[in-house]
Amino acid sequence: MIDLSHSKQFAIKSGGRIMETTKEWESADADAAVKREISSPPLASATNDVDAPATKKIKLQDTESLIVDARDKGIARIKPEFLLPRPDKSTISTLPDDDDAEAGGTKRKKERGQNKNRRFAKAREVLKFCESLKNGEGTCKFGNDCKFEHDVAKYISSKPADLEGTCPVFDAIGYCPVGLKCRWLHSHYIVEAGKLLIDEGKKAKAGREINRIDRDTQNTLQKKKFPVPKSDLILPYLDSLKELDMKENNARKAVTNEEEEEKDYEEEEKKDLAATYIEPPFLPSEKRPLNLHRAKILSPLTTVGNLPFRRLCRWFGAEVTYSEMALSLPLLQGSKSEWALPRSHTSEIPNFGVQIAASKLWQAVKATEVLTTACETQISGIQDVNLNCGCPIDLIYRSGAGSALLDSGSKLIRMLKGMNYVSGEVPVTAKIRMGTRDNHPNAKNLVRRLINEGDVAAITLHGRSRQQRYTRVADWNYISETADSIRYLYLDHDENDKEQRERRKVWFVGNGDCYSWRDWWDAVETYKVDSVMIARGALIKPWIFEEIDARQYLDKSATERLDMIRKFAQFGLEHWGSDEYGINNCRRFLCEFLSFSCRYVPVGILEVLPPKIQDRPPMWRGRNELETLLGSSDYKDWIKISEMFLGPVHESFDFKPKHKSNAYETEG
């Protein structure tokens, strides 16, 4: 039986008791679900997973009548029957600090954030078993000199008792990669024969992870011997452009005839230098095409945008996904942790992009060449390489990367030009913000420059400045103005510039505060962007992609949401492993995910629609106790939820939330 003592104070406020088993929850939830009308129209599906969720719409009675213009600013209004008594202190607190959602987990100011010095202990085995023998066979090349355990029976007897049930990884893919280290070992190990079971049928059909690099490639990178011939060719040319730009900037005075002649000479020098290249760079129109027209795109997300979460969003209908932001220099240094970020699952193919950040020209160019040659691009493992030009975090900004590039337009253009040259058939894209300072947006002019240069296949504009970070609402009027200026630019090209007219048009994607299907469709139909990149909206409710297809709010029951968490845990165990170390990792990232998903307020208890991402509710109770539990902002409840699928918490496990994730704190 699961100990839910940490949840009791949360549920007692609603006058109920804690359900002791998931069956009781599901039974209670099913009774509530009978009262809702369910229909099942066909919806578009863009996932490669076989066990995709049922695409059903749960209709809300009188949905349209709930939509009003007037609302309390910053407050999500809850139906009176679901409100809890107001405590002495205000029920509405400050907005959560979401800097880490789309940026990077880095050092922050002393007074900002919560639990700033988080540490995650690693699970330790009593006996460490030799990795060479984990599959029950093979030999250790170190023999008797190996410091790890080789005796299978002794190792198994030292392990804690196996978890109940079948190994989720074995059940999903037909074998367990961690072998004898699995915490569900009894379900796929024959003790008498000393043999691990393999289901060849499931194994043949199972997806796999790609964009890995082998140990030899990693060693080559660490020794700085990985060949980057295209980068070696283009970087001197790009450096010469920088020198010429500096000369032009220093000589901006009254133009004389001599200066005009010198300028013409410099232009000829540029052309001569460019003509020395035997292989001309691909134009975006000659590269592998992107199709982002009304595509459902998941934004690059730090920490929570890991591979299991992206698979979950694909399961819900996302069509394009991006890796977490990877830093160029650690990639070039062969850092194991950094190379885990571009890794993807075959269910994400072909529409998976890798986002990188770089402060130096050579870092961006060489990292792009390494990514597009070392990874499995032959099976379209990388759809595009996206340059992060919007990260607002201080450590990234001060290094000259992220949003700092917005104030260095010439440097940014040279970066994209070099990346485009070395990436072969893989197109290059960019994600930017409105600018670095409030009231001084420069994205509109920057976008026009990038399009005229012809080195990017798509541009995503986040409707906030770097200074603004995630405070206040995103400025979709500015995004719309930028979209209009792009249309006028293309009209001018069509009339006057034959070379530009022949180029493939650049996709323009909006980003910021997309929390519902209405937000998404307003963006593409009213603000005239090609598509919308969804970030925190997907973190809070990953089924937003289903809502977009249905053009309707989906009132997901608590049981359906619990099944979503179960799915994440399954994907996480496949990715991190079903041994103690993998379970600890999976539990940690599941809690990170729950720190966002607990902010979801079921639309069935809202008094006013549409919901807004910046609105915070007063204290509320759900329609049943499981729904109340899933809305808890107490991280101890998140850990207890994880125990339903990952077993009891290991004594070494410790989790502290990255930031406050809800509008109120639990009392007690």
Side-chain angles (χ1 to χ4, degrees), residues 614-651:
Q614 303 287 6
D615 288 355
R616 293 292 174 268
M619 295 181 70
W620 58 274
R621 63 178 176 85
R623 290 164 290 189
N624 55 57
E625 293 188 31
L626 177 56
E627 191 166 74
T628 303
L629 177 66
L630 292 176
S632 171
S633 63
D634 188 343
Y635 74 92
K636 296 175 184 176
D637 284 329
W638 308 339
I639 294 174
K640 293 304 176 185
I641 291 171
S642 76
E643 289 187 316
M644 299 180 195
F645 313 110
L646 301 175
V649 175
H650 191 274
E651 59 183 10

mmCIF file of all heavy atoms in Angstrom, residues 614-651:
data_model
loop_
_atom_site.group_PDB
_atom_site.id
_atom_site.type_symbol
_atom_site.label_atom_id
_atom_site.label_comp_id
_atom_site.label_asym_id
_atom_site.label_seq_id
_atom_site.Cartn_x
_atom_site.Cartn_y
_atom_site.Cartn_z
ATOM 1 N N GLN A 614 -0.814 32.983 -17.551
ATOM 2 C CA GLN A 614 -0.329 33.820 -16.449
ATOM 3 C C GLN A 614 -1.298 33.863 -15.276
ATOM 4 O O GLN A 614 -0.952 34.387 -14.216
ATOM 5 C CB GLN A 614 -0.095 35.263 -16.954
ATOM 6 C CG GLN A 614 0.867 35.374 -18.113
ATOM 7 C CD GLN A 614 2.312 35.158 -17.721
ATOM 8 O OE1 GLN A 614 2.607 34.812 -16.596
ATOM 9 N NE2 GLN A 614 3.222 35.349 -18.650
ATOM 10 N N ASP A 615 -2.518 33.344 -15.441
ATOM 11 C CA ASP A 615 -3.501 33.390 -14.369
ATOM 12 C C ASP A 615 -3.188 32.354 -13.295
ATOM 13 O O ASP A 615 -2.812 31.219 -13.606
ATOM 14 C CB ASP A 615 -4.908 33.144 -14.913
ATOM 15 C CG ASP A 615 -5.420 34.327 -15.719
ATOM 16 O OD1 ASP A 615 -4.720 35.355 -15.753
ATOM 17 O OD2 ASP A 615 -6.506 34.208 -16.318
ATOM 18 N N ARG A 616 -3.392 32.732 -12.030
ATOM 19 C CA ARG A 616 -3.171 31.824 -10.922
ATOM 20 C C ARG A 616 -4.474 31.666 -10.155
ATOM 21 O O ARG A 616 -5.172 32.647 -9.894
ATOM 22 C CB ARG A 616 -2.073 32.360 -9.999
ATOM 23 C CG ARG A 616 -0.701 32.363 -10.666
ATOM 24 C CD ARG A 616 -0.212 30.927 -10.906
ATOM 25 N NE ARG A 616 1.022 30.885 -11.656
ATOM 26 C CZ ARG A 616 1.085 30.782 -12.975
ATOM 27 N NH1 ARG A 616 -0.009 30.734 -13.694
ATOM 28 N NH2 ARG A 616 2.253 30.715 -13.591
ATOM 29 N N PRO A 617 -4.799 30.419 -9.782
ATOM 30 C CA PRO A 617 -6.083 30.192 -9.109
ATOM 31 C C PRO A 617 -5.998 30.384 -7.608
ATOM 32 O O PRO A 617 -4.924 30.267 -7.015
ATOM 33 C CB PRO A 617 -6.354 28.709 -9.429
ATOM 34 C CG PRO A 617 -4.987 28.103 -9.459
ATOM 35 C CD PRO A 617 -4.068 29.170 -10.009
ATOM 36 N N PRO A 618 -7.132 30.665 -6.955
ATOM 37 C CA PRO A 618 -7.167 30.541 -5.493
ATOM 38 C C PRO A 618 -7.119 29.059 -5.128
ATOM 39 O O PRO A 618 -7.087 28.194 -6.003
ATOM 40 C CB PRO A 618 -8.520 31.169 -5.126
ATOM 41 C CG PRO A 618 -9.347 30.990 -6.357
ATOM 42 C CD PRO A 618 -8.410 31.069 -7.530
ATOM 43 N N MET A 619 -7.105 28.749 -3.857
ATOM 44 C CA MET A 619 -7.018 27.350 -3.440
ATOM 45 C C MET A 619 -8.290 26.611 -3.849
ATOM 46 O O MET A 619 -9.397 27.099 -3.641
ATOM 47 C CB MET A 619 -6.788 27.257 -1.936
ATOM 48 C CG MET A 619 -5.453 27.831 -1.499
ATOM 49 S SD MET A 619 -5.180 27.697 0.279
ATOM 50 C CE MET A 619 -4.952 25.945 0.434
ATOM 51 N N TRP A 620 -8.085 25.430 -4.448
ATOM 52 C CA TRP A 620 -9.232 24.683 -4.986
ATOM 53 C C TRP A 620 -9.094 23.198 -4.678
ATOM 54 O O TRP A 620 -8.026 22.717 -4.345
ATOM 55 C CB TRP A 620 -9.323 24.888 -6.499
ATOM 56 C CG TRP A 620 -8.084 24.481 -7.262
ATOM 57 C CD1 TRP A 620 -6.984 25.252 -7.483
ATOM 58 C CD2 TRP A 620 -7.817 23.213 -7.876
ATOM 59 N NE1 TRP A 620 -6.036 24.555 -8.200
ATOM 60 C CE2 TRP A 620 -6.518 23.297 -8.460
ATOM 61 C CE3 TRP A 620 -8.527 22.014 -7.997
ATOM 62 C CZ2 TRP A 620 -5.944 22.228 -9.145
ATOM 63 C CZ3 TRP A 620 -7.945 20.953 -8.692
ATOM 64 C CH2 TRP A 620 -6.671 21.067 -9.253
ATOM 65 N N ARG A 621 -10.209 22.502 -4.796
ATOM 66 C CA ARG A 621 -10.211 21.048 -4.694
ATOM 67 C C ARG A 621 -10.738 20.497 -6.014
ATOM 68 O O ARG A 621 -11.508 21.157 -6.726
ATOM 69 C CB ARG A 621 -11.087 20.578 -3.536
ATOM 70 C CG ARG A 621 -12.565 20.932 -3.670
ATOM 71 C CD ARG A 621 -13.368 20.379 -2.505
ATOM 72 N NE ARG A 621 -14.766 20.783 -2.583
ATOM 73 C CZ ARG A 621 -15.693 20.126 -3.288
ATOM 74 N NH1 ARG A 621 -15.356 19.049 -3.974
ATOM 75 N NH2 ARG A 621 -16.952 20.546 -3.308
ATOM 76 N N GLY A 622 -10.342 19.297 -6.339
ATOM 77 C CA GLY A 622 -10.769 18.683 -7.582
ATOM 78 C C GLY A 622 -12.126 18.017 -7.464
ATOM 79 O O GLY A 622 -12.748 17.985 -6.394
ATOM 80 N N ARG A 623 -12.546 17.429 -8.577
ATOM 81 C CA ARG A 623 -13.836 16.737 -8.593
ATOM 82 C C ARG A 623 -13.754 15.376 -7.932
ATOM 83 O O ARG A 623 -14.773 14.741 -7.667
ATOM 84 C CB ARG A 623 -14.324 16.610 -10.046
ATOM 85 C CG ARG A 623 -14.726 17.946 -10.644
ATOM 86 C CD ARG A 623 -14.824 17.897 -12.145
ATOM 87 N NE ARG A 623 -13.511 17.749 -12.776
ATOM 88 C CZ ARG A 623 -13.306 17.857 -14.089
ATOM 89 N NH1 ARG A 623 -14.324 18.130 -14.891
ATOM 90 N NH2 ARG A 623 -12.092 17.702 -14.578
ATOM 91 N N ASN A 624 -12.550 14.887 -7.710
ATOM 92 C CA ASN A 624 -12.321 13.707 -6.891
ATOM 93 C C ASN A 624 -10.938 13.858 -6.264
ATOM 94 O O ASN A 624 -10.202 14.796 -6.570
ATOM 95 C CB ASN A 624 -12.449 12.417 -7.717
ATOM 96 C CG ASN A 624 -11.542 12.428 -8.936
ATOM 97 O OD1 ASN A 624 -10.329 12.587 -8.807
ATOM 98 N ND2 ASN A 624 -12.120 12.281 -10.119
ATOM 99 N N GLU A 625 -10.594 12.937 -5.391
ATOM 100 C CA GLU A 625 -9.368 13.107 -4.614
ATOM 101 C C GLU A 625 -8.108 12.951 -5.449
ATOM 102 O O GLU A 625 -7.077 13.559 -5.146
ATOM 103 C CB GLU A 625 -9.372 12.128 -3.434
ATOM 104 C CG GLU A 625 -10.447 12.471 -2.416
ATOM 105 C CD GLU A 625 -10.329 11.637 -1.164
ATOM 106 O OE1 GLU A 625 -9.200 11.250 -0.808
ATOM 107 O OE2 GLU A 625 -11.364 11.382 -0.540
ATOM 108 N N LEU A 626 -8.165 12.143 -6.502
ATOM 109 C CA LEU A 626 -6.992 12.019 -7.369
ATOM 110 C C LEU A 626 -6.736 13.327 -8.095
ATOM 111 O O LEU A 626 -5.576 13.759 -8.222
ATOM 112 C CB LEU A 626 -7.207 10.884 -8.377
ATOM 113 C CG LEU A 626 -6.081 10.681 -9.399
ATOM 114 C CD1 LEU A 626 -4.746 10.459 -8.688
ATOM 115 C CD2 LEU A 626 -6.400 9.509 -10.317
ATOM 116 N N GLU A 627 -7.794 14.003 -8.549
ATOM 117 C CA GLU A 627 -7.628 15.289 -9.219
ATOM 118 C C GLU A 627 -7.065 16.327 -8.257
ATOM 119 O O GLU A 627 -6.228 17.162 -8.634
ATOM 120 C CB GLU A 627 -8.971 15.762 -9.787
ATOM 121 C CG GLU A 627 -8.855 16.940 -10.727
ATOM 122 C CD GLU A 627 -10.126 17.161 -11.519
ATOM 123 O OE1 GLU A 627 -11.109 17.653 -10.927
ATOM 124 O OE2 GLU A 627 -10.152 16.839 -12.724
ATOM 125 N N THR A 628 -7.492 16.251 -6.999
ATOM 126 C CA THR A 628 -6.945 17.150 -5.984
ATOM 127 C C THR A 628 -5.463 16.894 -5.767
ATOM 128 O O THR A 628 -4.654 17.818 -5.687
ATOM 129 C CB THR A 628 -7.698 16.966 -4.652
ATOM 130 O OG1 THR A 628 -9.089 17.189 -4.863
ATOM 131 C CG2 THR A 628 -7.187 17.935 -3.599
ATOM 132 N N LEU A 629 -5.103 15.608 -5.712
ATOM 133 C CA LEU A 629 -3.695 15.250 -5.513
ATOM 134 C C LEU A 629 -2.827 15.712 -6.681
ATOM 135 O O LEU A 629 -1.729 16.234 -6.476
ATOM 136 C CB LEU A 629 -3.571 13.741 -5.329
ATOM 137 C CG LEU A 629 -2.144 13.194 -5.168
ATOM 138 C CD1 LEU A 629 -1.529 13.706 -3.873
ATOM 139 C CD2 LEU A 629 -2.127 11.687 -5.211
ATOM 140 N N LEU A 630 -3.311 15.549 -7.912
ATOM 141 C CA LEU A 630 -2.524 15.932 -9.082
ATOM 142 C C LEU A 630 -2.332 17.443 -9.172
ATOM 143 O O LEU A 630 -1.458 17.923 -9.895
ATOM 144 C CB LEU A 630 -3.198 15.416 -10.360
ATOM 145 C CG LEU A 630 -3.205 13.896 -10.535
ATOM 146 C CD1 LEU A 630 -3.986 13.504 -11.790
ATOM 147 C CD2 LEU A 630 -1.798 13.337 -10.609
ATOM 148 N N GLY A 631 -3.150 18.205 -8.454
ATOM 149 C CA GLY A 631 -2.992 19.653 -8.426
ATOM 150 C C GLY A 631 -2.169 20.150 -7.253
ATOM 151 O O GLY A 631 -2.019 21.355 -7.072
ATOM 152 N N SER A 632 -1.623 19.223 -6.471
ATOM 153 C CA SER A 632 -0.853 19.626 -5.292
ATOM 154 C C SER A 632 0.476 20.254 -5.704
ATOM 155 O O SER A 632 1.180 19.748 -6.570
ATOM 156 C CB SER A 632 -0.584 18.410 -4.406
ATOM 157 O OG SER A 632 0.326 18.738 -3.380
ATOM 158 N N SER A 633 0.835 21.346 -5.030
ATOM 159 C CA SER A 633 2.114 22.008 -5.293
ATOM 160 C C SER A 633 3.190 21.574 -4.304
ATOM 161 O O SER A 633 4.284 22.141 -4.289
ATOM 162 C CB SER A 633 1.941 23.527 -5.224
ATOM 163 O OG SER A 633 1.538 23.911 -3.911
ATOM 164 N N ASP A 634 2.900 20.573 -3.487
ATOM 165 C CA ASP A 634 3.863 20.053 -2.511
ATOM 166 C C ASP A 634 4.730 18.995 -3.194
ATOM 167 O O ASP A 634 4.225 17.965 -3.631
ATOM 168 C CB ASP A 634 3.107 19.456 -1.329
ATOM 169 C CG ASP A 634 4.039 19.073 -0.179
ATOM 170 O OD1 ASP A 634 5.266 18.962 -0.428
ATOM 171 O OD2 ASP A 634 3.555 18.889 0.942
ATOM 172 N N TYR A 635 6.031 19.212 -3.254
ATOM 173 C CA TYR A 635 6.902 18.275 -3.966
ATOM 174 C C TYR A 635 6.913 16.887 -3.325
ATOM 175 O O TYR A 635 7.228 15.894 -3.977
ATOM 176 C CB TYR A 635 8.330 18.833 -4.062
ATOM 177 C CG TYR A 635 9.132 18.803 -2.793
ATOM 178 C CD1 TYR A 635 9.955 17.725 -2.501
ATOM 179 C CD2 TYR A 635 9.087 19.858 -1.890
ATOM 180 C CE1 TYR A 635 10.707 17.695 -1.337
ATOM 181 C CE2 TYR A 635 9.832 19.836 -0.719
ATOM 182 C CZ TYR A 635 10.637 18.753 -0.451
ATOM 183 O OH TYR A 635 11.380 18.720 0.702
ATOM 184 N N LYS A 636 6.549 16.813 -2.041
ATOM 185 C CA LYS A 636 6.464 15.502 -1.401
ATOM 186 C C LYS A 636 5.339 14.672 -2.018
ATOM 187 O O LYS A 636 5.442 13.445 -2.109
ATOM 188 C CB LYS A 636 6.258 15.666 0.104
ATOM 189 C CG LYS A 636 7.440 16.341 0.800
ATOM 190 C CD LYS A 636 7.148 16.604 2.263
ATOM 191 C CE LYS A 636 8.310 17.373 2.907
ATOM 192 N NZ LYS A 636 8.025 17.724 4.314
ATOM 193 N N ASP A 637 4.282 15.347 -2.460
ATOM 194 C CA ASP A 637 3.207 14.640 -3.153
ATOM 195 C C ASP A 637 3.674 14.150 -4.516
ATOM 196 O O ASP A 637 3.259 13.083 -4.978
ATOM 197 C CB ASP A 637 1.983 15.551 -3.313
ATOM 198 C CG ASP A 637 1.210 15.713 -2.014
ATOM 199 O OD1 ASP A 637 1.217 14.769 -1.209
ATOM 200 O OD2 ASP A 637 0.611 16.777 -1.800
ATOM 201 N N TRP A 638 4.524 14.927 -5.180
ATOM 202 C CA TRP A 638 5.047 14.489 -6.486
ATOM 203 C C TRP A 638 5.860 13.206 -6.310
ATOM 204 O O TRP A 638 5.769 12.296 -7.135
ATOM 205 C CB TRP A 638 5.915 15.576 -7.106
ATOM 206 C CG TRP A 638 5.275 16.933 -7.182
ATOM 207 C CD1 TRP A 638 3.943 17.214 -7.147
ATOM 208 C CD2 TRP A 638 5.950 18.187 -7.286
ATOM 209 N NE1 TRP A 638 3.745 18.575 -7.212
ATOM 210 C CE2 TRP A 638 4.953 19.200 -7.302
ATOM 211 C CE3 TRP A 638 7.281 18.571 -7.353
ATOM 212 C CZ2 TRP A 638 5.260 20.552 -7.403
ATOM 213 C CZ3 TRP A 638 7.595 19.910 -7.460
ATOM 214 C CH2 TRP A 638 6.594 20.889 -7.484
ATOM 215 N N ILE A 639 6.647 13.150 -5.242
ATOM 216 C CA ILE A 639 7.447 11.951 -4.987
ATOM 217 C C ILE A 639 6.543 10.754 -4.734
ATOM 218 O O ILE A 639 6.794 9.643 -5.228
ATOM 219 C CB ILE A 639 8.406 12.191 -3.803
ATOM 220 C CG1 ILE A 639 9.447 13.268 -4.176
ATOM 221 C CG2 ILE A 639 9.108 10.902 -3.403
ATOM 222 C CD1 ILE A 639 10.348 13.682 -3.034
ATOM 223 N N LYS A 640 5.448 10.987 -3.973
ATOM 224 C CA LYS A 640 4.523 9.893 -3.700
ATOM 225 C C LYS A 640 3.834 9.411 -4.974
ATOM 226 O O LYS A 640 3.605 8.216 -5.155
ATOM 227 C CB LYS A 640 3.482 10.331 -2.660
ATOM 228 C CG LYS A 640 4.066 10.578 -1.276
ATOM 229 C CD LYS A 640 4.800 9.353 -0.758
ATOM 230 C CE LYS A 640 5.474 9.608 0.572
ATOM 231 N NZ LYS A 640 6.275 8.454 1.017
ATOM 232 N N ILE A 641 3.520 10.332 -5.875
ATOM 233 C CA ILE A 641 2.932 9.936 -7.156
ATOM 234 C C ILE A 641 3.925 9.079 -7.937
ATOM 235 O O ILE A 641 3.562 8.082 -8.559
ATOM 236 C CB ILE A 641 2.521 11.193 -7.967
ATOM 237 C CG1 ILE A 641 1.340 11.894 -7.311
ATOM 238 C CG2 ILE A 641 2.163 10.810 -9.405
ATOM 239 C CD1 ILE A 641 1.010 13.244 -7.909
ATOM 240 N N SER A 642 5.198 9.452 -7.874
ATOM 241 C CA SER A 642 6.211 8.687 -8.611
ATOM 242 C C SER A 642 6.331 7.259 -8.082
ATOM 243 O O SER A 642 6.673 6.341 -8.833
ATOM 244 C CB SER A 642 7.577 9.394 -8.522
ATOM 245 O OG SER A 642 8.188 9.197 -7.252
ATOM 246 N N GLU A 643 6.041 7.069 -6.802
ATOM 247 C CA GLU A 643 6.150 5.726 -6.222
ATOM 248 C C GLU A 643 5.121 4.752 -6.785
ATOM 249 O O GLU A 643 5.305 3.543 -6.707
ATOM 250 C CB GLU A 643 6.012 5.809 -4.698
ATOM 251 C CG GLU A 643 7.213 6.441 -4.013
ATOM 252 C CD GLU A 643 7.128 6.364 -2.498
ATOM 253 O OE1 GLU A 643 6.040 6.640 -1.951
ATOM 254 O OE2 GLU A 643 8.143 6.024 -1.873
ATOM 255 N N MET A 644 4.040 5.270 -7.354
ATOM 256 C CA MET A 644 3.038 4.389 -7.962
ATOM 257 C C MET A 644 3.620 3.602 -9.128
ATOM 258 O O MET A 644 3.186 2.487 -9.415
ATOM 259 C CB MET A 644 1.844 5.214 -8.451
ATOM 260 C CG MET A 644 1.101 5.977 -7.393
ATOM 261 S SD MET A 644 -0.268 6.898 -8.132
ATOM 262 C CE MET A 644 -0.669 8.023 -6.803
ATOM 263 N N PHE A 645 4.608 4.179 -9.813
ATOM 264 C CA PHE A 645 5.133 3.558 -11.025
ATOM 265 C C PHE A 645 6.607 3.178 -10.924
ATOM 266 O O PHE A 645 7.084 2.358 -11.704
ATOM 267 C CB PHE A 645 4.942 4.515 -12.214
ATOM 268 C CG PHE A 645 3.567 5.103 -12.284
ATOM 269 C CD1 PHE A 645 3.351 6.450 -12.019
ATOM 270 C CD2 PHE A 645 2.479 4.308 -12.577
ATOM 271 C CE1 PHE A 645 2.077 6.988 -12.064
ATOM 272 C CE2 PHE A 645 1.202 4.839 -12.627
ATOM 273 C CZ PHE A 645 0.999 6.178 -12.368
ATOM 274 N N LEU A 646 7.319 3.778 -9.963
ATOM 275 C CA LEU A 646 8.759 3.550 -9.865
ATOM 276 C C LEU A 646 9.165 2.884 -8.562
ATOM 277 O O LEU A 646 10.353 2.725 -8.294
ATOM 278 C CB LEU A 646 9.509 4.882 -10.012
ATOM 279 C CG LEU A 646 9.256 5.643 -11.325
ATOM 280 C CD1 LEU A 646 9.950 6.995 -11.289
ATOM 281 C CD2 LEU A 646 9.711 4.835 -12.521
ATOM 282 N N GLY A 647 8.191 2.502 -7.773
ATOM 283 C CA GLY A 647 8.499 1.815 -6.540
ATOM 284 C C GLY A 647 8.923 2.764 -5.430
ATOM 285 O O GLY A 647 9.005 3.990 -5.619
ATOM 286 N N PRO A 648 9.204 2.230 -4.242
ATOM 287 C CA PRO A 648 9.596 3.061 -3.098
ATOM 288 C C PRO A 648 10.861 3.872 -3.397
ATOM 289 O O PRO A 648 11.735 3.441 -4.141
ATOM 290 C CB PRO A 648 9.848 2.036 -1.980
ATOM 291 C CG PRO A 648 9.101 0.810 -2.407
ATOM 292 C CD PRO A 648 9.144 0.796 -3.898
ATOM 293 N N VAL A 649 10.921 5.029 -2.779
ATOM 294 C CA VAL A 649 12.065 5.924 -2.983
ATOM 295 C C VAL A 649 13.313 5.336 -2.342
ATOM 296 O O VAL A 649 13.277 4.863 -1.198
ATOM 297 C CB VAL A 649 11.771 7.309 -2.379
ATOM 298 C CG1 VAL A 649 12.986 8.214 -2.482
ATOM 299 C CG2 VAL A 649 10.594 7.948 -3.087
ATOM 300 N N HIS A 650 14.416 5.348 -3.082
ATOM 301 C CA HIS A 650 15.704 4.914 -2.541
ATOM 302 C C HIS A 650 16.161 5.905 -1.476
ATOM 303 O O HIS A 650 15.896 7.106 -1.563
ATOM 304 C CB HIS A 650 16.736 4.836 -3.672
ATOM 305 C CG HIS A 650 18.013 4.165 -3.293
ATOM 306 N ND1 HIS A 650 19.059 4.839 -2.705
ATOM 307 C CD2 HIS A 650 18.431 2.878 -3.419
ATOM 308 C CE1 HIS A 650 20.065 4.008 -2.487
ATOM 309 N NE2 HIS A 650 19.702 2.809 -2.918
ATOM 310 N N GLU A 651 16.844 5.406 -0.463
ATOM 311 C CA GLU A 651 17.273 6.260 0.655
ATOM 312 C C GLU A 651 18.168 7.415 0.210
ATOM 313 O O GLU A 651 18.239 8.454 0.874
ATOM 314 C CB GLU A 651 18.001 5.415 1.699
ATOM 315 C CG GLU A 651 19.230 4.708 1.159
ATOM 316 C CD GLU A 651 19.909 3.809 2.176
ATOM 317 O OE1 GLU A 651 19.325 3.581 3.250
ATOM 318 O OE2 GLU A 651 21.023 3.353 1.884
#
